[in-house]
Amino acid sequence: SPYSKTEVYGNYLDVANFVSIPMDPEDAVFTVNGTYQYRPDLLAYDLYGDSSLWWVFALRNPNIIKDPVFDMKSGISFYLPKKSTLTGLLG
């Protein structure tokens, strides 16, 4: 979860403290095609085998992707974090 480092007080979350996904020179550049337009969950499933990791694209590319669903338009290019990087960060 992107909120894994955010404190929980009773039933409430504190101010968001998102996981930081570092840049890696080996990260691939990906250009969205029609298959993945508005579907970061499908891309996460195809890359990482887990559709719940859709949020990593926005955290890795904060200057490109502000809205992880509606900014995922055909033609946009961004960096894909490696699966090994995510495994190291998220366990």
Side-chain angles (χ1 to χ4, degrees), residues 9-76:
Y9 298 102
N11 293 328
Y12 303 98
L13 288 174
D14 196 2
V15 175
N17 183 13
F18 292 118
V19 175
S20 175
I21 301 177
M23 291 185 265
D24 186 327
E26 295 181 19
D27 287 348
V29 176
F30 177 75
T31 302
V32 177
N33 58 34
T35 302
Y36 300 113
Q37 181 165 301
Y38 307 126
R39 296 300 307 267
D41 58 327
L42 291 179
L43 181 58
Y45 182 80
D46 288 347
L47 291 174
Y48 310 124
D50 187 349
S51 62
S52 69
L53 294 175
W54 57 269
W55 51 271
V56 301
F57 308 125
L59 292 184
R60 170 58 181 86
N61 301 278
N63 295 330
I64 300 168
I65 302 173
K66 303 291 184 200
D67 183 314
V69 174
F70 293 108
D71 286 349
M72 188 76 66
K73 297 178 183 175
S74 286
I76 189 173

